[in-house]
């Protein structure tokens, strides 16, 4: 498993990109996608919704289980990935690329996000 170095990670297995024009992208890690198994349904927060760091903001359903989606930051959702809603398997096949989940304009970022190396140690 190779976690991209430029991302930061939560202990709930979400990743967060660096902010571009104040907007960060959120997804789940390859580790989480593999643990879930084949994702068959994705519920994402709606555009305009406020998400809170560490709180549930959606759901991922797989052939194995249902898992809550947690936001790694507090802020306003500015985009949701409709491609993932239409084809949930993108979460498994491209968790760091086309399988991203939503974009958020963060108003507050927790200090407990992990680097790629820290997350790799945490997840193993």
């Amino acid at each position: 498993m190779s976690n991209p170095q430029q991302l930061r990670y939560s202990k709930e297995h979400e990743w967060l990109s660096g902010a571009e024009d104040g907007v960060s992208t959120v997804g789940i890690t390859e580790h989480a996608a593999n643990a879930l198994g084949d994702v068959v349904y994705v519920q994402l927060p709606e555009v305009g919704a406020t998400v809170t760091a560490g709180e549930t903001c959606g759901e991922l359903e797989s052939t194995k289980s249902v898992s809550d989606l947690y936001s790694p930051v507090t802020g306003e959702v500015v985009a949701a990935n409709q491609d993932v809603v239409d084809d949930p398997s993108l979460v498994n096949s491209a968790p760091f690329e086309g399988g991203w989940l939503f974009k958020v304009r963060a108003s507050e970022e927790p200090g407990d996000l992990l680097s790629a190396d820290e997350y790799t140690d945490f997840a193993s």
Side-chain angles (χ1 to χ4, degrees), residues 27-68:
I28 67 164
T29 65
E30 184 177 8
H31 173 81
N34 289 339
L36 275 171
D38 295 332
V39 177
V40 295
Y41 174 77
V42 176
Q43 177 198 8
L44 301 175
E46 293 184 21
V47 172
T50 299
V51 293
T52 303
E55 293 191 7
T56 302
C57 64
E59 187 176 271
L60 301 170
E61 185 177 325
S62 72
T63 54
K64 290 183 182 179
S65 67
V66 175
S67 179
D68 288 331

mmCIF file of all heavy atoms in Angstrom, residues 27-68:
data_model
loop_
_atom_site.group_PDB
_atom_site.id
_atom_site.type_symbol
_atom_site.label_atom_id
_atom_site.label_comp_id
_atom_site.label_asym_id
_atom_site.label_seq_id
_atom_site.Cartn_x
_atom_site.Cartn_y
_atom_site.Cartn_z
ATOM 1 N N GLY A 27 -11.288 11.946 0.408
ATOM 2 C CA GLY A 27 -11.588 10.593 -0.070
ATOM 3 C C GLY A 27 -11.277 9.611 1.040
ATOM 4 O O GLY A 27 -10.888 10.004 2.137
ATOM 5 N N ILE A 28 -11.456 8.327 0.757
ATOM 6 C CA ILE A 28 -11.043 7.313 1.726
ATOM 7 C C ILE A 28 -9.764 6.663 1.219
ATOM 8 O O ILE A 28 -9.482 6.651 0.025
ATOM 9 C CB ILE A 28 -12.120 6.254 2.042
ATOM 10 C CG1 ILE A 28 -12.413 5.366 0.840
ATOM 11 C CG2 ILE A 28 -13.372 6.899 2.590
ATOM 12 C CD1 ILE A 28 -13.168 4.085 1.199
ATOM 13 N N THR A 29 -8.995 6.136 2.137
ATOM 14 C CA THR A 29 -7.700 5.564 1.791
ATOM 15 C C THR A 29 -7.848 4.207 1.109
ATOM 16 O O THR A 29 -8.890 3.555 1.200
ATOM 17 C CB THR A 29 -6.848 5.396 3.050
ATOM 18 O OG1 THR A 29 -7.464 4.447 3.905
ATOM 19 C CG2 THR A 29 -6.644 6.710 3.776
ATOM 20 N N GLU A 30 -6.776 3.794 0.480
ATOM 21 C CA GLU A 30 -6.737 2.469 -0.148
ATOM 22 C C GLU A 30 -6.913 1.393 0.920
ATOM 23 O O GLU A 30 -7.602 0.393 0.687
ATOM 24 C CB GLU A 30 -5.417 2.298 -0.880
ATOM 25 C CG GLU A 30 -5.292 1.004 -1.644
ATOM 26 C CD GLU A 30 -3.985 0.911 -2.422
ATOM 27 O OE1 GLU A 30 -3.103 1.770 -2.259
ATOM 28 O OE2 GLU A 30 -3.860 -0.044 -3.195
ATOM 29 N N HIS A 31 -6.328 1.604 2.083
ATOM 30 C CA HIS A 31 -6.480 0.661 3.200
ATOM 31 C C HIS A 31 -7.959 0.486 3.547
ATOM 32 O O HIS A 31 -8.445 -0.641 3.696
ATOM 33 C CB HIS A 31 -5.703 1.170 4.420
ATOM 34 C CG HIS A 31 -5.921 0.379 5.660
ATOM 35 N ND1 HIS A 31 -5.267 -0.803 5.921
ATOM 36 C CD2 HIS A 31 -6.753 0.595 6.709
ATOM 37 C CE1 HIS A 31 -5.684 -1.275 7.081
ATOM 38 N NE2 HIS A 31 -6.579 -0.449 7.581
ATOM 39 N N ALA A 32 -8.690 1.596 3.667
ATOM 40 C CA ALA A 32 -10.119 1.535 3.996
ATOM 41 C C ALA A 32 -10.914 0.887 2.870
ATOM 42 O O ALA A 32 -11.810 0.072 3.117
ATOM 43 C CB ALA A 32 -10.648 2.934 4.280
ATOM 44 N N ALA A 33 -10.595 1.241 1.635
ATOM 45 C CA ALA A 33 -11.308 0.663 0.491
ATOM 46 C C ALA A 33 -11.124 -0.854 0.443
ATOM 47 O O ALA A 33 -12.071 -1.603 0.206
ATOM 48 C CB ALA A 33 -10.830 1.304 -0.810
ATOM 49 N N ASN A 34 -9.901 -1.311 0.714
ATOM 50 C CA ASN A 34 -9.643 -2.754 0.722
ATOM 51 C C ASN A 34 -10.370 -3.440 1.872
ATOM 52 O O ASN A 34 -10.895 -4.546 1.709
ATOM 53 C CB ASN A 34 -8.145 -3.032 0.815
ATOM 54 C CG ASN A 34 -7.411 -2.678 -0.458
ATOM 55 O OD1 ASN A 34 -7.994 -2.578 -1.533
ATOM 56 N ND2 ASN A 34 -6.120 -2.434 -0.343
ATOM 57 N N ALA A 35 -10.400 -2.803 3.034
ATOM 58 C CA ALA A 35 -11.084 -3.385 4.193
ATOM 59 C C ALA A 35 -12.596 -3.472 3.961
ATOM 60 O O ALA A 35 -13.235 -4.434 4.398
ATOM 61 C CB ALA A 35 -10.789 -2.566 5.442
ATOM 62 N N LEU A 36 -13.148 -2.482 3.261
ATOM 63 C CA LEU A 36 -14.587 -2.494 2.985
ATOM 64 C C LEU A 36 -14.967 -3.593 2.009
ATOM 65 O O LEU A 36 -16.043 -4.155 2.097
ATOM 66 C CB LEU A 36 -15.017 -1.152 2.382
ATOM 67 C CG LEU A 36 -15.330 -0.032 3.338
ATOM 68 C CD1 LEU A 36 -15.521 1.272 2.570
ATOM 69 C CD2 LEU A 36 -16.571 -0.343 4.155
ATOM 70 N N GLY A 37 -14.121 -3.866 1.052
ATOM 71 C CA GLY A 37 -14.478 -4.775 -0.030
ATOM 72 C C GLY A 37 -15.129 -3.963 -1.147
ATOM 73 O O GLY A 37 -14.981 -2.743 -1.213
ATOM 74 N N ASP A 38 -15.860 -4.625 -2.012
ATOM 75 C CA ASP A 38 -16.447 -3.966 -3.178
ATOM 76 C C ASP A 38 -17.532 -2.982 -2.751
ATOM 77 O O ASP A 38 -18.589 -3.384 -2.254
ATOM 78 C CB ASP A 38 -17.037 -4.994 -4.141
ATOM 79 C CG ASP A 38 -15.976 -5.891 -4.745
ATOM 80 O OD1 ASP A 38 -14.818 -5.439 -4.866
ATOM 81 O OD2 ASP A 38 -16.296 -7.037 -5.088
ATOM 82 N N VAL A 39 -17.275 -1.685 -2.965
ATOM 83 C CA VAL A 39 -18.240 -0.648 -2.609
ATOM 84 C C VAL A 39 -19.350 -0.639 -3.659
ATOM 85 O O VAL A 39 -19.094 -0.591 -4.863
ATOM 86 C CB VAL A 39 -17.559 0.738 -2.500
ATOM 87 C CG1 VAL A 39 -18.580 1.826 -2.214
ATOM 88 C CG2 VAL A 39 -16.493 0.703 -1.410
ATOM 89 N N VAL A 40 -20.603 -0.709 -3.186
ATOM 90 C CA VAL A 40 -21.750 -0.790 -4.086
ATOM 91 C C VAL A 40 -22.691 0.409 -3.959
ATOM 92 O O VAL A 40 -23.583 0.592 -4.779
ATOM 93 C CB VAL A 40 -22.548 -2.101 -3.865
ATOM 94 C CG1 VAL A 40 -21.700 -3.312 -4.231
ATOM 95 C CG2 VAL A 40 -23.058 -2.217 -2.437
ATOM 96 N N TYR A 41 -22.510 1.231 -2.915
ATOM 97 C CA TYR A 41 -23.376 2.391 -2.712
ATOM 98 C C TYR A 41 -22.600 3.456 -1.949
ATOM 99 O O TYR A 41 -21.882 3.147 -0.998
ATOM 100 C CB TYR A 41 -24.627 1.994 -1.915
ATOM 101 C CG TYR A 41 -25.503 3.158 -1.533
ATOM 102 C CD1 TYR A 41 -26.345 3.765 -2.461
ATOM 103 C CD2 TYR A 41 -25.473 3.671 -0.234
ATOM 104 C CE1 TYR A 41 -27.135 4.842 -2.104
ATOM 105 C CE2 TYR A 41 -26.269 4.744 0.123
ATOM 106 C CZ TYR A 41 -27.096 5.324 -0.812
ATOM 107 O OH TYR A 41 -27.883 6.395 -0.455
ATOM 108 N N VAL A 42 -22.756 4.706 -2.385
ATOM 109 C CA VAL A 42 -22.089 5.826 -1.742
ATOM 110 C C VAL A 42 -23.118 6.931 -1.500
ATOM 111 O O VAL A 42 -23.844 7.320 -2.418
ATOM 112 C CB VAL A 42 -20.950 6.387 -2.629
ATOM 113 C CG1 VAL A 42 -20.325 7.615 -2.009
ATOM 114 C CG2 VAL A 42 -19.898 5.321 -2.886
ATOM 115 N N GLN A 43 -23.189 7.397 -0.256
ATOM 116 C CA GLN A 43 -24.004 8.565 0.081
ATOM 117 C C GLN A 43 -23.046 9.658 0.528
ATOM 118 O O GLN A 43 -22.295 9.474 1.494
ATOM 119 C CB GLN A 43 -24.987 8.256 1.202
ATOM 120 C CG GLN A 43 -25.787 9.465 1.627
ATOM 121 C CD GLN A 43 -26.428 9.303 2.988
ATOM 122 O OE1 GLN A 43 -26.173 8.348 3.698
ATOM 123 N NE2 GLN A 43 -27.247 10.264 3.350
ATOM 124 N N LEU A 44 -23.057 10.785 -0.190
ATOM 125 C CA LEU A 44 -22.138 11.886 0.084
ATOM 126 C C LEU A 44 -22.893 13.077 0.674
ATOM 127 O O LEU A 44 -24.097 13.208 0.461
ATOM 128 C CB LEU A 44 -21.442 12.313 -1.212
ATOM 129 C CG LEU A 44 -20.627 11.230 -1.911
ATOM 130 C CD1 LEU A 44 -20.093 11.750 -3.237
ATOM 131 C CD2 LEU A 44 -19.496 10.754 -1.018
ATOM 132 N N PRO A 45 -22.183 13.961 1.358
ATOM 133 C CA PRO A 45 -22.845 15.177 1.831
ATOM 134 C C PRO A 45 -23.250 16.038 0.645
ATOM 135 O O PRO A 45 -22.605 16.015 -0.402
ATOM 136 C CB PRO A 45 -21.779 15.861 2.687
ATOM 137 C CG PRO A 45 -20.479 15.325 2.195
ATOM 138 C CD PRO A 45 -20.761 13.934 1.709
ATOM 139 N N GLU A 46 -24.323 16.800 0.810
ATOM 140 C CA GLU A 46 -24.819 17.650 -0.269
ATOM 141 C C GLU A 46 -23.995 18.929 -0.380
ATOM 142 O O GLU A 46 -23.475 19.433 0.622
ATOM 143 C CB GLU A 46 -26.280 18.005 -0.027
ATOM 144 C CG GLU A 46 -27.196 16.807 -0.129
ATOM 145 C CD GLU A 46 -28.655 17.196 0.011
ATOM 146 O OE1 GLU A 46 -28.997 18.378 -0.201
ATOM 147 O OE2 GLU A 46 -29.456 16.311 0.331
ATOM 148 N N VAL A 47 -23.893 19.439 -1.590
ATOM 149 C CA VAL A 47 -23.231 20.718 -1.819
ATOM 150 C C VAL A 47 -23.966 21.778 -1.003
ATOM 151 O O VAL A 47 -25.200 21.812 -0.975
ATOM 152 C CB VAL A 47 -23.216 21.077 -3.329
ATOM 153 C CG1 VAL A 47 -22.716 22.488 -3.550
ATOM 154 C CG2 VAL A 47 -22.375 20.070 -4.093
ATOM 155 N N GLY A 48 -23.197 22.588 -0.288
ATOM 156 C CA GLY A 48 -23.774 23.615 0.571
ATOM 157 C C GLY A 48 -23.901 23.189 2.021
ATOM 158 O O GLY A 48 -24.079 24.020 2.905
ATOM 159 N N ALA A 49 -23.802 21.881 2.273
ATOM 160 C CA ALA A 49 -23.879 21.377 3.645
ATOM 161 C C ALA A 49 -22.609 21.737 4.403
ATOM 162 O O ALA A 49 -21.541 21.873 3.818
ATOM 163 C CB ALA A 49 -24.075 19.862 3.644
ATOM 164 N N THR A 50 -22.753 21.888 5.711
ATOM 165 C CA THR A 50 -21.595 22.096 6.567
ATOM 166 C C THR A 50 -21.214 20.756 7.181
ATOM 167 O O THR A 50 -22.080 20.042 7.690
ATOM 168 C CB THR A 50 -21.915 23.108 7.685
ATOM 169 O OG1 THR A 50 -22.253 24.355 7.070
ATOM 170 C CG2 THR A 50 -20.722 23.310 8.607
ATOM 171 N N VAL A 51 -19.938 20.407 7.081
ATOM 172 C CA VAL A 51 -19.430 19.182 7.703
ATOM 173 C C VAL A 51 -18.518 19.584 8.860
ATOM 174 O O VAL A 51 -17.927 20.661 8.853
ATOM 175 C CB VAL A 51 -18.671 18.290 6.685
ATOM 176 C CG1 VAL A 51 -19.628 17.731 5.638
ATOM 177 C CG2 VAL A 51 -17.533 19.046 6.012
ATOM 178 N N THR A 52 -18.442 18.701 9.845
ATOM 179 C CA THR A 52 -17.645 18.963 11.045
ATOM 180 C C THR A 52 -16.589 17.886 11.191
ATOM 181 O O THR A 52 -16.896 16.693 11.061
ATOM 182 C CB THR A 52 -18.553 19.000 12.287
ATOM 183 O OG1 THR A 52 -19.558 19.996 12.084
ATOM 184 C CG2 THR A 52 -17.763 19.322 13.543
ATOM 185 N N ALA A 53 -15.375 18.303 11.468
ATOM 186 C CA ALA A 53 -14.261 17.363 11.626
ATOM 187 C C ALA A 53 -14.607 16.283 12.640
ATOM 188 O O ALA A 53 -15.090 16.578 13.736
ATOM 189 C CB ALA A 53 -13.008 18.106 12.060
ATOM 190 N N GLY A 54 -14.397 15.019 12.235
ATOM 191 C CA GLY A 54 -14.620 13.885 13.120
ATOM 192 C C GLY A 54 -16.052 13.406 13.194
ATOM 193 O O GLY A 54 -16.341 12.412 13.861
ATOM 194 N N GLU A 55 -16.976 14.087 12.514
ATOM 195 C CA GLU A 55 -18.386 13.691 12.548
ATOM 196 C C GLU A 55 -18.805 13.039 11.232
ATOM 197 O O GLU A 55 -18.257 13.320 10.175
ATOM 198 C CB GLU A 55 -19.269 14.892 12.865
ATOM 199 C CG GLU A 55 -19.047 15.404 14.277
ATOM 200 C CD GLU A 55 -20.077 16.422 14.708
ATOM 201 O OE1 GLU A 55 -21.056 16.667 13.977
ATOM 202 O OE2 GLU A 55 -19.885 16.981 15.800
ATOM 203 N N THR A 56 -19.825 12.205 11.322
ATOM 204 C CA THR A 56 -20.357 11.498 10.153
ATOM 205 C C THR A 56 -20.939 12.493 9.153
ATOM 206 O O THR A 56 -21.665 13.408 9.536
ATOM 207 C CB THR A 56 -21.460 10.512 10.587
ATOM 208 O OG1 THR A 56 -20.910 9.610 11.540
ATOM 209 C CG2 THR A 56 -21.996 9.731 9.415
ATOM 210 N N CYS A 57 -20.630 12.266 7.867
ATOM 211 C CA CYS A 57 -21.177 13.138 6.823
ATOM 212 C C CYS A 57 -21.672 12.344 5.612
ATOM 213 O O CYS A 57 -22.081 12.920 4.620
ATOM 214 C CB CYS A 57 -20.140 14.171 6.402
ATOM 215 S SG CYS A 57 -18.659 13.476 5.643
ATOM 216 N N GLY A 58 -21.630 11.028 5.694
ATOM 217 C CA GLY A 58 -22.078 10.195 4.591
ATOM 218 C C GLY A 58 -21.933 8.736 4.942
ATOM 219 O O GLY A 58 -21.708 8.389 6.112
ATOM 220 N N GLU A 59 -22.053 7.892 3.900
ATOM 221 C CA GLU A 59 -22.041 6.451 4.143
ATOM 222 C C GLU A 59 -21.487 5.722 2.922
ATOM 223 O O GLU A 59 -21.716 6.141 1.788
ATOM 224 C CB GLU A 59 -23.486 6.014 4.410
ATOM 225 C CG GLU A 59 -23.660 4.601 4.851
ATOM 226 C CD GLU A 59 -25.125 4.326 5.170
ATOM 227 O OE1 GLU A 59 -25.506 4.539 6.329
ATOM 228 O OE2 GLU A 59 -25.859 3.923 4.253
ATOM 229 N N LEU A 60 -20.770 4.653 3.189
ATOM 230 C CA LEU A 60 -20.280 3.772 2.133
ATOM 231 C C LEU A 60 -20.794 2.379 2.433
ATOM 232 O O LEU A 60 -20.626 1.878 3.549
ATOM 233 C CB LEU A 60 -18.748 3.760 2.112
ATOM 234 C CG LEU A 60 -18.066 5.104 1.887
ATOM 235 C CD1 LEU A 60 -16.577 4.979 2.141
ATOM 236 C CD2 LEU A 60 -18.331 5.611 0.497
ATOM 237 N N GLU A 61 -21.411 1.760 1.444
ATOM 238 C CA GLU A 61 -21.933 0.413 1.623
ATOM 239 C C GLU A 61 -21.181 -0.514 0.671
ATOM 240 O O GLU A 61 -21.009 -0.212 -0.505
ATOM 241 C CB GLU A 61 -23.430 0.388 1.298
ATOM 242 C CG GLU A 61 -24.089 -0.935 1.557
ATOM 243 C CD GLU A 61 -25.590 -0.876 1.297
ATOM 244 O OE1 GLU A 61 -26.217 0.161 1.566
ATOM 245 O OE2 GLU A 61 -26.124 -1.891 0.808
ATOM 246 N N SER A 62 -20.743 -1.634 1.217
ATOM 247 C CA SER A 62 -20.023 -2.608 0.400
ATOM 248 C C SER A 62 -20.720 -3.949 0.499
ATOM 249 O O SER A 62 -21.700 -4.103 1.220
ATOM 250 C CB SER A 62 -18.572 -2.729 0.877
ATOM 251 O OG SER A 62 -18.528 -3.418 2.113
ATOM 252 N N THR A 63 -20.164 -4.917 -0.208
ATOM 253 C CA THR A 63 -20.716 -6.268 -0.144
ATOM 254 C C THR A 63 -20.469 -6.879 1.224
ATOM 255 O O THR A 63 -21.137 -7.844 1.592
ATOM 256 C CB THR A 63 -20.095 -7.156 -1.231
ATOM 257 O OG1 THR A 63 -18.666 -7.104 -1.107
ATOM 258 C CG2 THR A 63 -20.502 -6.689 -2.621
ATOM 259 N N LYS A 64 -19.533 -6.303 2.008
ATOM 260 C CA LYS A 64 -19.211 -6.819 3.340
ATOM 261 C C LYS A 64 -19.942 -6.092 4.461
ATOM 262 O O LYS A 64 -20.323 -6.707 5.447
ATOM 263 C CB LYS A 64 -17.709 -6.681 3.611
ATOM 264 C CG LYS A 64 -16.817 -7.575 2.813
ATOM 265 C CD LYS A 64 -15.385 -7.346 3.260
ATOM 266 C CE LYS A 64 -14.389 -8.156 2.486
ATOM 267 N NZ LYS A 64 -13.017 -7.890 2.933
ATOM 268 N N SER A 65 -20.051 -4.753 4.352
ATOM 269 C CA SER A 65 -20.585 -3.989 5.477
ATOM 270 C C SER A 65 -20.992 -2.584 5.043
ATOM 271 O O SER A 65 -20.805 -2.179 3.903
ATOM 272 C CB SER A 65 -19.539 -3.884 6.584
ATOM 273 O OG SER A 65 -18.448 -3.102 6.143
ATOM 274 N N VAL A 66 -21.526 -1.838 6.008
ATOM 275 C CA VAL A 66 -21.833 -0.426 5.827
ATOM 276 C C VAL A 66 -20.899 0.342 6.749
ATOM 277 O O VAL A 66 -20.690 -0.040 7.897
ATOM 278 C CB VAL A 66 -23.307 -0.129 6.188
ATOM 279 C CG1 VAL A 66 -23.583 1.362 6.113
ATOM 280 C CG2 VAL A 66 -24.246 -0.899 5.273
ATOM 281 N N SER A 67 -20.317 1.416 6.232
ATOM 282 C CA SER A 67 -19.373 2.197 7.012
ATOM 283 C C SER A 67 -19.729 3.676 6.923
ATOM 284 O O SER A 67 -20.079 4.173 5.847
ATOM 285 C CB SER A 67 -17.955 1.971 6.473
ATOM 286 O OG SER A 67 -17.031 2.724 7.200
ATOM 287 N N ASP A 68 -19.637 4.362 8.044
ATOM 288 C CA ASP A 68 -19.845 5.798 8.037
ATOM 289 C C ASP A 68 -18.667 6.495 7.386
ATOM 290 O O ASP A 68 -17.528 6.032 7.464
ATOM 291 C CB ASP A 68 -19.996 6.324 9.471
ATOM 292 C CG ASP A 68 -21.321 5.941 10.104
ATOM 293 O OD1 ASP A 68 -22.310 5.776 9.362
ATOM 294 O OD2 ASP A 68 -21.367 5.815 11.339
#
